[in-house]
Each structure stands twice: as structure tokens, then as C-alpha cells.
């Protein structure tokens, strides 16, 4: 389930519904975890957060600790898709250090999420350490998927020509696999990097490709990330997946989204290559346009996340 093929994503929805009916008849709960994976990939924060909290409580109550690594991986993916990088890093870090995970696949998946979250949180040393662990697995495998994931992760801790070479390598390898979701994430990250290098035309190309993939799969949060970046790159507005107020400029919308996820002005400045004073200026304009007076009100004021609870970070 964590790595859905292009043709399987839509079919998984009906499969979950069918298995859930069987669950009710025989009293098992496997399909609920499939439902969680789908909610996470779709970026449905309120639904996924509720499932994460419920599954964590149930697993602890029943002594089914083997399910907790899956829930922590799901939390990391959800938070990365929403740009809540510190929360993603906390969940992925906990899983990668959890003795319950052992050699489970979730531990490897979590390392990938940890690298992205740490790099975007301004903690390159944590990302670099996680990359070393990931490389031990991917190089032993040698598949296009493994090599593509490693290259994408390595790009996040690289700069200049090295970063670009890694992004291109990642897209090349992942483009040979049926894992369109992972290809889309590589294109999104490369597009974000290109925009920050002020290579706008190239950035738009990568971001449009990512947006098309995510929209086709119904991956609303990742699609929204791509859409916001496209608008910031001056591209024509695309159909929104989750939505942000039209009254905000692309820059304001991006800063508001990051701030609503708990990022400080300094952290936002580091991610967007701005000064903290510029971030504070834009946030002031956001508050005025939305009719609010504090950061704590942002999540409710942004239509992109109506009635969304903060994603729960499961504790062991």
C-alpha cells in the first residue's frame, strides 16, 4: 500500500470498501489501515489525523505494538505532504529509532520521509545521517526504484550542480518504474529547487508534471504544494486541490501555509530564501487580509484545511 502503482491508486478505494464489509462480518480491522494509507496519500488531514489517533489508541490498548510503525510512517507522509516538516521529522525519527520497527519495511520508508523533513526544517545534519542509513539499503538493492529514491534524497542535502545532477538522476530512474507517486514527488522537489534558483521556466515544467500526476491520483495535499509553487513561479492558476484564499498572493499563501503548520519566521525564511523580516511583513499582510490577529488562527482561516485537527504524533 505505501507505494501504489498508477493503475492501483483508484482501484484501492473500492477495494478498501469491499474489505471493510468483510471486516464487519468476521471482526478484523486490516482494511482500516488501508483506509489510513489512502487518506494519507490523498492528504486529507482531518480524516487521516482522526484515523492516526484512533489506531494509536487502539493498538496500545490491545497490545498490538506491531502496528505502530505503520502509523508513524503514515504520520510522517501526511505531515510532509502538508508542509508540516517538524512534525514529519518527529514521527519519522521516532520510527527509525523504534525497536519495534526492527528490519520492518516501514523503517526504511520512514528514513526517506525523515530526510525530506529534516532538510526542509533546516537540519541538514539529521538528513545527512539518515541518508547514510538509506544508502546501505538502496545500494544493496540496486533497482531503479531504490536508486531513484536515494538520488532524490541525496539531492535534498546537496547544493548547486550536485543537487541538480541528483534530481535528474532520480527522475531518470523513477521514470523507468511504475511508481508514479515517487516520480511526482521527485518532480515536485526538483521544481521547488529550480524556482529557488530563479530558473522559472524549467521550474514550471517540473511542477506542472508533478501537479498533473498528483491531481490524477487525487493526492490533494501534494497537488496543492505543486499548485502554490506554480503560482509563485508566475504560472497560470490551476484548479486547486485543497484551496487557499484567492485574496492572498502566491507568496503570502505559501508563507501562511508554512506558518499554520507551526514553522517559525526564521524557519520559513530559511526554506524560502527570504529574511525573517520579510516573512514577518508578509504575515502581517496575511493577518490583515484574513481578518485575524495571531498565528494560532491561521489554520482555521485558511480554506485549504477546514476543520482540520493537528496531525497526531503517535507515542510509543
Amino acid at each position: 500500500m505505501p507505494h501504489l502503482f498508477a493503475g492501483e491508486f483508484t482501484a484501492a478505494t473500492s477495494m478498501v470498501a469491499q474489505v471493510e464489509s468483510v471486516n464487519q462480518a468476521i471482526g478484523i480491522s486490516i482494511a482500516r489501515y488501508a483506509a489510513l494509507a489512502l487518506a494519507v496519500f490523498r492528504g486529507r488531514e482531518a480524516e487521516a489525523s482522526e484515523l492516526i489517533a484512533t489506531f494509536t489508541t487502539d493498538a496500545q490498548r490491545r497490545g498490538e505494538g506491531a502496528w505502530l510503525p505503520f502509523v508513524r510512517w503514515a504520520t510522517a507522509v501526511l505531515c510532509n505532504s502538508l508542509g508540516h516538516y517538524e512534525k514529519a521529522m518527529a514521527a519519522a525519527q521516532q520510527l527509525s529509532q523504534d525497536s519495534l520497527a526492527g528490519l520492518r519495511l516501514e523503517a526504511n520508508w520512514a528514513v526517506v520521509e525523515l530526510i525530506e523533513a529534516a532538510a526542509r526544517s533546516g537540519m541538514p545534519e539529521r538528513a545527512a545521517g539518515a541518508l547514510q542509513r538509506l544508502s546501505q539499503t538502496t545500494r544493496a538493492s540496486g533497482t531503479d526504484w531504490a536508486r531513484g529514491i536515494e538520488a532524490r534524497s541525496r539531492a535534498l542535502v546537496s547544493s548547486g550542480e550536485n543537487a541538480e545532477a541528483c534530481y535528474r538522476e532520480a527522475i531518470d530512474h523513477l521514470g523507468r518504474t511504475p511508481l508514479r507517486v515517487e516520480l511526482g514527488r521527485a518532480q515536485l522537489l526538483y521544481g521547488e529547487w529550480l524556482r529557488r534558483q530563479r530558473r522559472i521556466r524549467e521550474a514550471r515544467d517540473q511542477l506542472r508534471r508533478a501537479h498533473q500526476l498528483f491531481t490524477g491520483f487525487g493526492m490533494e495535499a501534494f497537488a496543492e504544494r505543486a499548485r502554490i509553487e506554480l503560482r509563485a513561479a508566475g504560472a497560470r492558476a490551476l484548479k486547486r486541490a485543497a484551496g487557499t484564499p484567492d485574496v492572498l498572493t502566491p507568496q503570502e499563501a505559501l508563507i501562511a501555509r508554512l506558518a499554520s503548520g507551526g514553522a517559525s519566521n526564521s524557519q520559513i525564511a530559511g526554506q524560502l530564501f527570504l529574511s525573517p523580516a520579510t516573512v514577518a511583513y508578509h504575515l502581517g499582510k496575511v493577518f490583515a487580509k484574513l481578518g485575524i490577529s495571531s498565528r494560532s488562527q491561521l489554520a482555521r482561516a485558511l480554506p485549504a484545511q477546514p476543520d482540520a485537527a493537528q496531525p497526531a504524533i503517535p507515542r510509543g
Side-chain angles (χ1 to χ4, degrees), residues 132-153:
Q132 290 182 348
R133 299 199 300 273
L134 176 66
S135 297
Q136 294 174 1
T137 301
T138 55
R139 291 180 180 177
S141 172
T143 64
D144 276 315
W145 171 80
R147 294 172 68 183
I149 291 297
E150 180 186 353
R152 188 182 77 194
S153 300

Side-chain angles (χ1 to χ4, degrees), residues 47-103:
E47 177 185 351
S49 298
E50 182 178 355
L51 288 170
I52 286 169
T54 300
F55 292 174
T56 302
T57 300
D58 288 350
Q60 293 172 338
R61 177 173 53 82
R62 295 194 299 264
E64 297 176 353
W67 282 111
L68 290 177
F70 177 83
V71 175
R72 290 180 179 127
W73 162 82
T75 303
V77 174
L78 175 68
C79 291
N80 269 338
S81 74
L82 294 166
H84 299 172
Y85 297 116
E86 289 193 350
K87 294 174 183 177
M89 183 169 61
Q93 184 78 45
Q94 187 175 16
L95 173 53
S96 66
Q97 297 175 344
D98 196 337
S99 60
L100 288 173
L103 298 176

Side-chain angles (χ1 to χ4, degrees), residues 34 41 49 59 67 115 124 128 130 140 143 148 161-162 168 197 230 250 301-302:
F41 274 109
S49 298
W67 282 111
I115 294 167
T143 64
E161 294 181 356
N162 289 335
R168 289 184 175 275
Q197 301 301 308
L230 274 166
L302 291 172

Side-chain angles (χ1 to χ4, degrees), residues 167-241:
Y167 279 125
R168 289 184 175 275
E169 180 184 352
I171 290 171
D172 180 52
H173 283 301
L174 293 172
R176 299 178 197 156
T177 76
L179 300 170
R180 302 291 93 179
V181 169
E182 302 297 347
L183 174 62
R185 291 185 68 175
Q187 291 168 333
L188 172 60
L189 290 170
Y190 186 31
E192 290 173 339
W193 182 84
L194 285 168
R195 189 178 76 79
R196 284 153 182 75
Q197 301 301 308
R198 295 180 171 80
R199 293 164 57 181
I200 302 303
R201 183 174 298 179
E202 295 168 274
R204 290 175 186 170
D205 180 56
Q206 294 298 327
L207 293 167
R208 282 195 180 101
R209 294 182 185 186
H211 185 272
Q212 183 177 12
L213 283 174
F214 295 142
T215 301
F217 295 152
M219 298 178 67
E220 298 167 5
F222 279 114
E224 180 66 2
R225 266 179 61 181
R227 192 188 72 85
I228 290 174
E229 285 286 331
L230 274 166
R231 289 188 62 186
R236 184 176 61 185
L238 299 170
K239 180 181 179 180
R240 73 180 71 238

Side-chain angles (χ1 to χ4, degrees), residues 38-50:
L38 283 174
V40 164
F41 274 109
R42 288 170 172 167
R44 295 182 176 177
E45 185 176 10
E47 177 185 351
S49 298
E50 182 178 355

